[in-house]
Amino acid sequence: MASTNPASGRFDIPREGFAPASTMLRETAPEEAGLDPAPITAAAQRLTGWTRRNAVEGHPLFAGAVGMLVHDGKIVTTHSTGSAVRYADGSGTELPSEQQVPVRPDTIFDLASVTKLFTSIAVLQLVERDQVELDAPVARYLPEFGVNGKATITVRQLLTHTSGLEPFLPLWRDWPDKPSRIRAVMRVRPQSPPGSGYTYSDLNLITLGVLVERLTGSSLDAVIAERITGPLGMTDTGFNPPANKVRRIAATEFQTEPARGMLRGEVHDENAWSLGGVAGHAGIFSTASDLAVLGQALLNGGAYAGKRILDEQSVRLMLTNHNDRFPENAHGLGFELDQIWYMGGLTSPRTAGHTGYTGTSLVIDPLSRSIAILLTNRVHPKRSWGSINPARQAWATGLARALAVRPARGPRAWFSAIGDGETATLTTPALTVSDRYAHARFETFVDSEPTDPLVVEASTDEGRTWHTLELQVRGRGSPDKTVNSLSGTGHRSWWSARVMVPGGQKVTLRWRFTTDSSDTGRGVYIDGIRIVDTERVLLDAERYPETIITDGFALSSG
């Protein structure tokens, strides 16, 4: 498969900069976009499998889904599966088949917290207009917010979830009306000192929604329609969808507290509902195709179809990590960054996105100019049926594995894309090493989380026991010191590795890639294995790959 960046000569080196602002989405086959269709097809099949009843749990992971994958402005797949409406009640009683509603490519989903991205863009638009300063205290714009220890909280801290505010207040339950609910958010006391840590909080974005309304003089839904969705032509995206679109909307939960029944076309989030369906943290409904337009506009540097919603510098600012002090919680302005738990094999320090509680996710990878969108109604009919993170990962990873990685040497390289909790190995025959020393050289392309390591091991007792060898590695993004294992995401580069081999005995080497119970990335490639002692070449796997015993690895041409 050809490299997605032919100028690299070997693999898809990340390309800096935005796509041309004139880039428009169009549908095409994966092959025409330079992608391997097999991983995409496999990911689509997995999505369909998750809509079927599980024999162990007695229910599917989610009722229905639309998944869309975009690469370089090309929509390479849109996969719709399952049901938009399947259940009659919260116990999981299925409707008669003729009353069930299948998911279609244009099915509209409740985005839940993906709404936060729209609010964040609206805030950045105010920054561009010099109406807001990121490091100004929020109380400058909302004086009533600056009470109970919040006087120093900045706009940036709300956008990056470092304000110290608690995650949630049951506004719908404990306050009687919208004005009192907004006052409760304005008066809340921080749980921790502002700037001292990361705590994901709906209150941050509810506050920013109020800020947008205060400074524009318009309601948040009107601002987003006028400044974001309208210019981009996102005609199926907005708060409180009209009645004539309900037939296209996926149902969510059968709620008993509050007693709202089966929800369809009404926001799932109780607090957003109690605020009239319009809030900075939740409430927007949309389709996969509309979200693709938003994603492509950001990849284009803030513009789409001749309409600009943000300057390029603002987009860069949104997609830059502002949480260096909290490395596990990388965050741009509104956007999450570098989160393998749902970004899968597309993960990198520059990969941006967000998830929604109803079962939605948007992943934008500027390095490969790719977008992965997964919209499900996983809370239909109840929220306790489980997490869809495995599906989010699998969908993004399907696109990642479709991107070409050309072998470092020759026509083929070994590749392993094992799942969670598995091990793959490449093992040499027993080699007689001279009295002095030997060394092994190889090339590797690693895309895995730190707890999914690639190690090189040696055995001098015919494989009964193994010990780990130290590695010296060079290449873009490689470790800068001797290490015992290799892992990492986002560098997307072949590394050259060297390892010393024990001398004066028979030695067997093996390359072992082991994954833990969750969060598998793109996988591991190994190429050009060559073992040499002071006298001769002991093994040249590039010329004679049949000498290597494989378990969980397969030869791939990229």
Side-chain angles (χ1 to χ4, degrees), residues 198 321-331 337-339 349:
Y198 173 90
N321 183 21
H322 296 258
N323 283 1
D324 289 334
R325 293 175 57 201
F326 317 113
E328 297 301 314
N329 297 292
H331 217 284
L337 304 174
D338 201 14
Q339 301 298 312

Side-chain angles (χ1 to χ4, degrees), residues 14 30 50 85 175 180 196 215 229 287 306 310 335 348-349 364 370 393 425 442 445 492:
W50 275 310
V85 181
W175 287 268
S180 65
S196 64
L215 293 182
T229 61
T287 61
L310 285 175
F335 281 86
S348 80
I364 302 171
S370 298
Q393 284 185 48
T425 58
F442 64 97
F445 184 109
R492 303 184 188 178

Side-chain angles (χ1 to χ4, degrees), residues 43 60 95 172-173 181-182 199 201 218 233 332 345 364 452:
L95 292 164
W172 64 272
R173 186 190 69 193
R181 291 160 186 154
I182 295 298
T199 300
S201 172
S218 299
I364 302 171
D452 292 352

Side-chain angles (χ1 to χ4, degrees), residues 126-127 130-137 140-141 154-156:
L126 294 176
V127 173
D130 294 325
Q131 292 180 263
V132 169
E133 293 180 18
L134 287 172
D135 293 315
R140 176 187 296 180
Y141 313 107
T154 66
V155 174
R156 189 190 304 268

Side-chain angles (χ1 to χ4, degrees), residues 198-273:
Y198 173 90
T199 300
Y200 178 81
S201 172
D202 284 351
L203 305 186
N204 291 326
L205 273 295
I206 292 174
T207 301
L208 287 172
V210 175
L211 181 150
V212 170
E213 293 185 334
R214 182 74 55 84
L215 293 182
T216 61
S218 299
S219 62
L220 182 63
D221 56 341
V223 172
I224 288 175
E226 178 186 343
R227 300 185 179 186
I228 303 173
T229 61
L232 295 180
M234 299 170 65
T235 57
D236 283 327
T237 302
F239 297 93
N240 292 325
N244 63 0
K245 290 189 177 181
V246 169
R247 61 184 178 82
R248 288 174 48 207
I249 296 176
T252 55
E253 188 173 28
F254 187 92
Q255 286 192 0
T256 57
E257 188 183 2
R260 301 170 65 198
M262 187 67 75
L263 301 178
R264 189 182 185 197
E266 190 175 76
V267 62
H268 175 262
D269 183 272
E270 295 91 343
N271 280 344
W273 165 71

Side-chain angles (χ1 to χ4, degrees), residues 213-512:
E213 293 185 334
R214 182 74 55 84
L215 293 182
T216 61
S218 299
S219 62
L220 182 63
D221 56 341
V223 172
I224 288 175
E226 178 186 343
R227 300 185 179 186
I228 303 173
T229 61
L232 295 180
M234 299 170 65
T235 57
D236 283 327
T237 302
F239 297 93
N240 292 325
N244 63 0
K245 290 189 177 181
V246 169
R247 61 184 178 82
R248 288 174 48 207
I249 296 176
T252 55
E253 188 173 28
F254 187 92
Q255 286 192 0
T256 57
E257 188 183 2
R260 301 170 65 198
M262 187 67 75
L263 301 178
R264 189 182 185 197
E266 190 175 76
V267 62
H268 175 262
D269 183 272
E270 295 91 343
N271 280 344
W273 165 71
S274 76
L275 295 171
V278 180
H281 72 295
I284 287 182
F285 289 71
S286 188
T287 61
S289 57
D290 270 11
L291 278 185
V293 169
L294 179 66
Q296 191 61 49
L298 294 171
L299 289 178
N300 291 356
Y304 188 83
K307 302 293 185 179
R308 180 165 293 278
I309 61 168
L310 285 175
D311 292 338
E312 286 192 5
Q313 184 56 35
S314 295
V315 178
R316 291 187 191 278
L317 198 61
M318 291 195 81
L319 305 187
T320 297
N321 183 21
H322 296 258
N323 283 1
D324 289 334
R325 293 175 57 201
F326 317 113
E328 297 301 314
N329 297 292
H331 217 284
L333 300 180
F335 281 86
E336 297 168 335
L337 304 174
D338 201 14
Q339 301 298 312
I340 194 172
W341 59 273
Y342 72 91
M343 297 175 178
L346 291 179
T347 304
S348 80
R350 291 186 57 191
T351 306
H354 216 287
T355 62
Y357 187 79
T358 49
T360 58
S361 59
L362 169 65
V363 178
I364 302 171
D365 177 26
L367 298 181
S368 67
R369 297 181 183 173
S370 298
I371 306 167
I373 297 163
L374 181 61
L375 305 180
T376 81
N377 54 349
R378 74 103 188 162
V379 295
H380 179 57
K382 59 196 303 181
R383 66 187 69 189
S384 61
W385 276 8
S387 167
I388 68 155
N389 288 343
R392 288 169 167 149
Q393 284 185 48
W395 190 238
T397 299
L399 178 54
R401 290 175 178 165
L403 295 168
V405 178
R406 285 189 174 181
R409 302 176 183 274
R412 296 182 298 174
W414 282 285
F415 173 60
S416 179
I418 54 174
D420 297 329
E422 296 186 24
T423 296
T425 58
L426 294 175
T427 307
T428 72
L431 306 170
T432 301
V433 182
S434 69
D435 290 339
R436 296 183 62 188
Y437 70 91
H439 66 265
R441 293 183 180 272
F442 64 97
E443 311 285 331
T444 186
F445 184 109
V446 178
D447 190 280
S448 67
E449 63 172 340
T451 50
D452 292 352
L454 172 69
V455 299
V456 181
E457 299 171 315
S459 174
T460 57
D461 57 9
E462 299 181 335
R464 290 188 292 275
T465 60
W466 297 88
H467 65 276
T468 302
L469 302 178
E470 292 188 336
L471 294 154
Q472 295 178 322
V473 189
R474 57 183 176 84
R476 181 166 49 84
S478 67
D480 57 4
K481 59 183 178 181
T482 300
V483 293
N484 294 321
S485 64
L486 299 176
S487 62
T489 59
H491 54 271
R492 303 184 188 178
S493 173
W494 281 100
W495 292 344
S496 296
R498 175 186 171 101
V499 58
M500 301 304 296
V501 179
Q505 55 196 318
K506 279 188 173 293
V507 179
T508 303
L509 296 186
R510 75 175 180 186
W511 285 252
R512 178 170 58 84

